[in-house]
Amino acid sequence: MQSLTTSGVDLKFSIRTASPRGIVLTHHRVGPAQLVIQCVSRFDSTKVNANANCNSGGVPTSGLNSGSGHVGRTRHEWQSACAILASKVVSQQQDTEKSGSSADGISAVNGHPTLDLVPVKDQSNPPTPLPKPLSISDLSPAPMHGSRLRVAYQGVPGAYSEAAAGKAYPNCEAIPCDQFEVAFQAVELWIADRAVLPVENSLGGSIHRNYDLLLRHRLHIVGEVQLPVHHCLLALPGVRKEYLTRVISHPQALSQCEHTLTKMGLNVAREAVDDTAGAAEYIAMNNLRDTGAIASARAAELYGLQILADGIQDDSGNVTRFVMLAREPIIPRTDRPFKTSIVFAHDKGTSVLFKVLSAFAFRNISLTKIESRPHRNRPIRLVDDANVGTAKHFEYMFYIDFEASMADVRAQNALAEVQEFTSFLRVLGSYPMDMTPWTPSSAGED
């Protein structure tokens, strides 16, 4: 028995074959860098040596008599078969190394075909990408340069909110809504891009409905606008104020003109409606000659009413503050005056409020607004005392506006401290302050 060793070949299989002439070839994998091929000559039925074998598997051999030295033709055939097998294995291994993949490079081993593999696609020409699915931004993109913003407001054309929307976003497309919540929903459903809604008036105070909606919805405050309010008493053409039996308008407008109406000597009933311009529209559509409306001069022009009295607000410094709402917040900056609005709640009643306010006072941050609203999820907190009984405390949500940007380190540290004392904290928005010059309202203004 002789061995032929071929270096640099790594076979992952073992084959046992027999040639037509009786030659038995056996090769085994012995290492990653060495191939040992063991072969025996053909069987000779007349000369069988049962004790001779060429491998550890006990393969019987014949025709090989190393002692006699007469191998003859059998030895030459054995050497030729070994050389042919070794050359095929080496050639196939070289092809595999060139292709970079052992599976792709071997198509046959010693004449036996292997399984066909799925060819790898040519990556030099990548396939054409599939179309990108449509998103909501494709269906209703936010207006960019030159496009008209769609701004929702509460009321009908001629309302003060429409004037505020025009001041906040000049040349915008104003979208009237019959209720405050509808304006919120219009932005959330991509019907509108912004909403401009009132939150407080210098005479009437806070508009609580919108504070509650700010907490209920997930819109962000991105700006503010302050609009001087100039009220007028309107009626149908030809009607004198002495003929009026009632005056209708928005509750805020009625409260802002209460003393003036009394001084005018009008003994009229005062009824609240959804908005000021809506009151003017209602009178015009129903031809109500005994009813007056408190609204703007623009509403009188739109609905064909006459102005019975101009500038009837109780105070000339009548200003309504509106906030601008969007789906996404803006990036806070420090190169111009900013204001930040937050809302928070705490579990230990109003005793924690002092600590929260101190977080801003210690950092010299001015507060411009503080408002409390009932905690709707937990309006009452019960405290049991065995000696005096059960105490009932009202729970509140607190809204605070302060003059600082969220990009300011002072504001960041203040809110970090506030968070330690509160059970709930949310930033409603950090936005530029309205710094436009303001003059008291006078006749002729809307």
Side-chain angles (χ1 to χ4, degrees):
M1 180 182 67
Q2 295 186 6
S3 299
L4 177 62
T5 303
T6 304
S7 302
V9 180
D10 183 9
L11 285 182
K12 300 180 179 179
F13 48 81
S14 176
I15 302 176
R16 180 181 179 89
T17 60
S19 67
R21 302 188 61 181
I23 298 177
V24 179
L25 304 176
T26 307
H27 48 91
H28 299 277
R29 179 177 180 274
V30 297
Q34 190 178 39
L35 174 67
V36 177
I37 304 178
Q38 295 178 330
C39 305
V40 297
S41 62
R42 63 178 180 178
F43 296 117
D44 192 339
S45 58
T46 59
K47 298 179 182 179
V48 178
N49 184 358
N51 296 326
N53 58 76
C54 70
N55 57 10
S56 59
V59 179
T61 62
S62 63
L64 180 59
N65 190 346
S66 57
S68 62
H70 299 284
V71 178
R73 183 179 179 184
T74 301
R75 179 179 180 84
H76 293 298
E77 293 177 354
W78 168 73
Q79 291 177 339
S80 299
C82 291
I84 292 172
L85 179 60
S87 63
K88 287 184 177 182
V89 173
V90 172
S91 175
Q92 292 169 356
Q93 181 68 16
Q94 291 175 350
D95 293 342
T96 300
E97 293 176 353
K98 291 180 180 180
S99 64
S101 174
S102 60
D104 295 341
I106 300 178
S107 60
V109 177
N110 198 22
H112 297 278
T114 61
L115 294 176
D116 294 332
L117 301 178
V118 178
V120 179
K121 295 182 180 180
D122 186 8
Q123 299 297 328
S124 60
N125 296 321
T128 303
L130 296 176
K132 182 181 178 181
L134 289 176
S135 63
I136 190 67
S137 60
D138 298 319
L139 300 177
S140 181
M144 299 299 288
H145 304 288
S147 300
R148 297 184 64 187
L149 276 172
R150 297 165 297 179
V151 181
Y153 68 93
Q154 188 273 331
V156 296
Y160 292 106
S161 294
E162 182 193 34
K167 182 179 179 181
Y169 301 103
N171 301 320
C172 69
E173 178 185 353
I175 301 177
C177 303
D178 59 351
Q179 299 178 20
F180 289 129
E181 189 163 14
V182 175
F184 277 85
Q185 294 174 349
V187 179
E188 291 176 330
L189 298 177
W190 295 76
I191 299 174
D193 304 297
R194 301 287 190 273
V196 175
L197 299 173
V199 290
E200 61 178 328
N201 177 265
S202 58
L203 299 181
S206 299
I207 301 175
H208 297 141
R209 176 60 175 166
N210 284 335
Y211 276 99
D212 296 338
L213 291 175
L214 283 172
L215 184 61
R216 182 181 304 176
H217 295 269
R218 303 300 298 182
L219 298 183
H220 303 269
I221 303 177
V222 296
E224 68 171 1
V225 58
Q226 297 180 359
L227 183 73
V229 177
H230 186 81
H231 290 308
C232 301
L233 179 61
L234 312 179
L236 288 174
V239 175
R240 300 174 58 180
K241 62 182 178 179
E242 292 82 5
Y243 299 157
L244 299 179
T245 60
R246 64 172 180 167
V247 173
I248 61 175
S249 189
H250 188 274
Q252 287 280 342
L254 291 174
S255 64
Q256 294 166 12
C257 303
E258 181 178 2
H259 299 300
T260 303
L261 292 177
T262 303
K263 292 179 181 180
M264 292 174 62
L266 296 179
N267 186 18
V268 295
R270 302 166 189 181
E271 298 180 8
V273 293
D274 289 338
D275 64 274
T276 55
E281 181 186 34
Y282 179 76
I283 293 175
M285 292 182 61
N286 294 277
N287 195 29
L288 302 177
R289 303 190 64 84
D290 63 341
T291 305
I294 298 177
S296 65
R298 171 172 165 76
E301 178 183 355
L302 289 176
Y303 302 109
L305 302 181
Q306 66 173 343
I307 300 177
L308 298 179
D310 193 6
I312 63 173
Q313 61 273 3
D314 294 338
D315 193 318
S316 60
N318 185 7
V319 179
T320 299
R321 175 173 169 253
F322 295 78
V323 292
M324 300 134 68
L325 304 176
R327 289 179 292 271
E328 299 294 335
I330 63 173
I331 300 176
R333 298 160 54 179
T334 57
D335 58 346
R336 59 174 299 181
F338 258 65
K339 182 183 294 185
T340 301
S341 299
I342 65 172
V343 56
F344 65 89
H346 43 78
D347 297 329
K348 299 180 180 180
T350 56
S351 60
V352 183
L353 183 59
F354 172 76
K355 298 180 181 179
V356 172
L357 299 180
S358 298
F360 298 98
F362 292 157
R363 293 170 177 84
N364 198 26
I365 298 177
S366 299
L367 302 184
T368 60
K369 173 75 173 180
I370 180 169
E371 180 76 24
S372 62
R373 295 293 297 152
H375 197 317
R376 293 186 178 273
N377 295 332
R378 189 179 53 193
I380 297 179
R381 178 170 54 94
L382 302 179
V383 179
D384 293 329
D385 192 323
N387 297 323
V388 298
T390 302
K392 303 175 184 63
H393 301 280
F394 291 168
E395 292 291 344
Y396 294 96
M397 306 287 292
F398 291 93
Y399 294 81
I400 287 181
D401 295 342
F402 59 89
E403 294 183 351
S405 169
M406 282 301 299
D408 191 339
V409 178
R410 297 179 306 150
Q412 298 173 10
N413 294 336
L415 291 187
E417 183 176 344
V418 169
Q419 196 169 16
E420 298 178 1
F421 304 113
T422 58
S423 59
F424 168 78
L425 173 64
R426 175 181 163 190
V427 178
L428 299 174
S430 187
Y431 47 91
M433 296 175 58
D434 183 5
M435 303 298 291
T436 56
W438 174 83
T439 56
S441 61
S442 59
E445 288 182 341
D446 283 354

PDB file of all heavy atoms in Angstrom, residues 17 54 108 110 152 202 226 228 274 300 304 324 328 345 353 392:
ATOM      1  N   THR A  17     -14.956   4.634  -4.534  1.00  0.00           N
ATOM      2  CA  THR A  17     -15.377   4.229  -5.874  1.00  0.00           C
ATOM      3  C   THR A  17     -14.625   2.981  -6.284  1.00  0.00           C
ATOM      4  O   THR A  17     -13.566   2.644  -5.728  1.00  0.00           O
ATOM      5  CB  THR A  17     -15.123   5.333  -6.897  1.00  0.00           C
ATOM      6  OG1 THR A  17     -13.734   5.629  -6.922  1.00  0.00           O
ATOM      7  CG2 THR A  17     -15.903   6.592  -6.532  1.00  0.00           C
ATOM      8  N   CYS A  54      -5.385  -1.581   3.240  1.00  0.00           N
ATOM      9  CA  CYS A  54      -4.698  -0.305   3.011  1.00  0.00           C
ATOM     10  C   CYS A  54      -5.210   0.820   3.878  1.00  0.00           C
ATOM     11  O   CYS A  54      -4.756   1.923   3.766  1.00  0.00           O
ATOM     12  CB  CYS A  54      -4.799   0.088   1.532  1.00  0.00           C
ATOM     13  SG  CYS A  54      -6.482   0.556   1.054  1.00  0.00           S
ATOM     14  N   ALA A 108     -18.827  19.521  -9.960  1.00  0.00           N
ATOM     15  CA  ALA A 108     -18.717  18.064  -9.996  1.00  0.00           C
ATOM     16  C   ALA A 108     -17.481  17.646  -9.225  1.00  0.00           C
ATOM     17  O   ALA A 108     -16.495  18.366  -9.179  1.00  0.00           O
ATOM     18  CB  ALA A 108     -18.640  17.561 -11.433  1.00  0.00           C
ATOM     19  N   ASN A 110     -14.931  14.453  -9.064  1.00  0.00           N
ATOM     20  CA  ASN A 110     -14.513  13.163  -9.631  1.00  0.00           C
ATOM     21  C   ASN A 110     -15.561  12.644 -10.618  1.00  0.00           C
ATOM     22  O   ASN A 110     -15.880  11.456 -10.673  1.00  0.00           O
ATOM     23  CB  ASN A 110     -14.289  12.136  -8.522  1.00  0.00           C
ATOM     24  CG  ASN A 110     -13.452  10.959  -9.028  1.00  0.00           C
ATOM     25  OD1 ASN A 110     -12.730  11.095 -10.012  1.00  0.00           O
ATOM     26  ND2 ASN A 110     -13.553   9.832  -8.353  1.00  0.00           N
ATOM     27  N   ALA A 152     -57.182  77.562  10.759  1.00  0.00           N
ATOM     28  CA  ALA A 152     -58.524  77.385  11.324  1.00  0.00           C
ATOM     29  C   ALA A 152     -58.740  78.376  12.462  1.00  0.00           C
ATOM     30  O   ALA A 152     -57.820  78.676  13.232  1.00  0.00           O
ATOM     31  CB  ALA A 152     -58.700  75.949  11.823  1.00  0.00           C
ATOM     32  N   SER A 202     -57.729  90.949  28.189  1.00  0.00           N
ATOM     33  CA  SER A 202     -57.272  91.847  29.247  1.00  0.00           C
ATOM     34  C   SER A 202     -58.401  92.280  30.163  1.00  0.00           C
ATOM     35  O   SER A 202     -58.155  92.685  31.309  1.00  0.00           O
ATOM     36  CB  SER A 202     -56.593  93.074  28.618  1.00  0.00           C
ATOM     37  OG  SER A 202     -57.498  93.737  27.748  1.00  0.00           O
ATOM     38  N   GLN A 226     -51.332  89.254  19.756  1.00  0.00           N
ATOM     39  CA  GLN A 226     -52.207  90.070  20.601  1.00  0.00           C
ATOM     40  C   GLN A 226     -52.958  91.049  19.712  1.00  0.00           C
ATOM     41  O   GLN A 226     -52.356  91.817  18.954  1.00  0.00           O
ATOM     42  CB  GLN A 226     -51.387  90.799  21.660  1.00  0.00           C
ATOM     43  CG  GLN A 226     -50.680  89.849  22.625  1.00  0.00           C
ATOM     44  CD  GLN A 226     -49.865  90.577  23.678  1.00  0.00           C
ATOM     45  OE1 GLN A 226     -49.793  91.806  23.690  1.00  0.00           O
ATOM     46  NE2 GLN A 226     -49.244  89.815  24.567  1.00  0.00           N
ATOM     47  N   PRO A 228     -55.798  94.085  19.483  1.00  0.00           N
ATOM     48  CA  PRO A 228     -56.680  95.067  20.128  1.00  0.00           C
ATOM     49  C   PRO A 228     -58.124  94.847  19.670  1.00  0.00           C
ATOM     50  O   PRO A 228     -58.392  94.630  18.482  1.00  0.00           O
ATOM     51  CB  PRO A 228     -56.132  96.415  19.644  1.00  0.00           C
ATOM     52  CG  PRO A 228     -54.732  96.124  19.198  1.00  0.00           C
ATOM     53  CD  PRO A 228     -54.745  94.719  18.682  1.00  0.00           C
ATOM     54  N   ASP A 274     -72.344  81.989  20.085  1.00  0.00           N
ATOM     55  CA  ASP A 274     -71.023  81.366  19.921  1.00  0.00           C
ATOM     56  C   ASP A 274     -69.926  82.379  19.619  1.00  0.00           C
ATOM     57  O   ASP A 274     -68.801  82.232  20.098  1.00  0.00           O
ATOM     58  CB  ASP A 274     -71.067  80.302  18.824  1.00  0.00           C
ATOM     59  CG  ASP A 274     -71.861  79.079  19.254  1.00  0.00           C
ATOM     60  OD1 ASP A 274     -72.000  78.869  20.474  1.00  0.00           O
ATOM     61  OD2 ASP A 274     -72.345  78.341  18.368  1.00  0.00           O
ATOM     62  N   ALA A 300     -70.108  94.293  10.425  1.00  0.00           N
ATOM     63  CA  ALA A 300     -71.189  95.151   9.920  1.00  0.00           C
ATOM     64  C   ALA A 300     -71.107  95.288   8.405  1.00  0.00           C
ATOM     65  O   ALA A 300     -72.130  95.258   7.703  1.00  0.00           O
ATOM     66  CB  ALA A 300     -71.114  96.526  10.582  1.00  0.00           C
ATOM     67  N   GLY A 304     -74.148  93.626   6.137  1.00  0.00           N
ATOM     68  CA  GLY A 304     -75.060  94.699   5.787  1.00  0.00           C
ATOM     69  C   GLY A 304     -75.758  95.336   6.965  1.00  0.00           C
ATOM     70  O   GLY A 304     -76.941  95.715   6.857  1.00  0.00           O
ATOM     71  N   MET A 324     -51.114  80.377  18.516  1.00  0.00           N
ATOM     72  CA  MET A 324     -51.048  79.697  17.222  1.00  0.00           C
ATOM     73  C   MET A 324     -50.652  78.243  17.479  1.00  0.00           C
ATOM     74  O   MET A 324     -49.630  77.974  18.128  1.00  0.00           O
ATOM     75  CB  MET A 324     -50.038  80.398  16.318  1.00  0.00           C
ATOM     76  CG  MET A 324     -50.424  81.858  16.058  1.00  0.00           C
ATOM     77  SD  MET A 324     -49.070  83.050  16.220  1.00  0.00           S
ATOM     78  CE  MET A 324     -48.068  82.597  14.820  1.00  0.00           C
ATOM     79  N   GLU A 328     -46.622  70.093  14.955  1.00  0.00           N
ATOM     80  CA  GLU A 328     -45.245  69.897  15.388  1.00  0.00           C
ATOM     81  C   GLU A 328     -44.740  71.148  16.090  1.00  0.00           C
ATOM     82  O   GLU A 328     -45.086  72.268  15.704  1.00  0.00           O
ATOM     83  CB  GLU A 328     -44.334  69.568  14.196  1.00  0.00           C
ATOM     84  CG  GLU A 328     -44.719  68.298  13.453  1.00  0.00           C
ATOM     85  CD  GLU A 328     -44.538  67.060  14.300  1.00  0.00           C
ATOM     86  OE1 GLU A 328     -43.720  67.094  15.235  1.00  0.00           O
ATOM     87  OE2 GLU A 328     -45.212  66.050  14.028  1.00  0.00           O
ATOM     88  N   ALA A 345     -49.397  69.147  37.483  1.00  0.00           N
ATOM     89  CA  ALA A 345     -50.260  68.768  38.606  1.00  0.00           C
ATOM     90  C   ALA A 345     -49.388  68.102  39.650  1.00  0.00           C
ATOM     91  O   ALA A 345     -48.282  67.622  39.359  1.00  0.00           O
ATOM     92  CB  ALA A 345     -51.372  67.824  38.153  1.00  0.00           C
ATOM     93  N   LEU A 353     -47.116  74.224  45.455  1.00  0.00           N
ATOM     94  CA  LEU A 353     -47.093  75.306  44.479  1.00  0.00           C
ATOM     95  C   LEU A 353     -45.986  76.310  44.781  1.00  0.00           C
ATOM     96  O   LEU A 353     -45.339  76.824  43.858  1.00  0.00           O
ATOM     97  CB  LEU A 353     -48.453  75.998  44.452  1.00  0.00           C
ATOM     98  CG  LEU A 353     -48.622  77.120  43.430  1.00  0.00           C
ATOM     99  CD1 LEU A 353     -48.393  76.604  42.018  1.00  0.00           C
ATOM    100  CD2 LEU A 353     -50.012  77.740  43.549  1.00  0.00           C
ATOM    101  N   LYS A 392     -61.941  67.408  52.491  1.00  0.00           N
ATOM    102  CA  LYS A 392     -62.090  67.327  51.035  1.00  0.00           C
ATOM    103  C   LYS A 392     -61.358  68.502  50.405  1.00  0.00           C
ATOM    104  O   LYS A 392     -61.684  69.661  50.655  1.00  0.00           O
ATOM    105  CB  LYS A 392     -63.568  67.342  50.651  1.00  0.00           C
ATOM    106  CG  LYS A 392     -64.401  66.237  51.302  1.00  0.00           C
ATOM    107  CD  LYS A 392     -65.865  66.404  50.959  1.00  0.00           C
ATOM    108  CE  LYS A 392     -66.702  65.364  51.685  1.00  0.00           C
ATOM    109  NZ  LYS A 392     -66.632  65.524  53.171  1.00  0.00           N
TER     110      LYS A 392
END
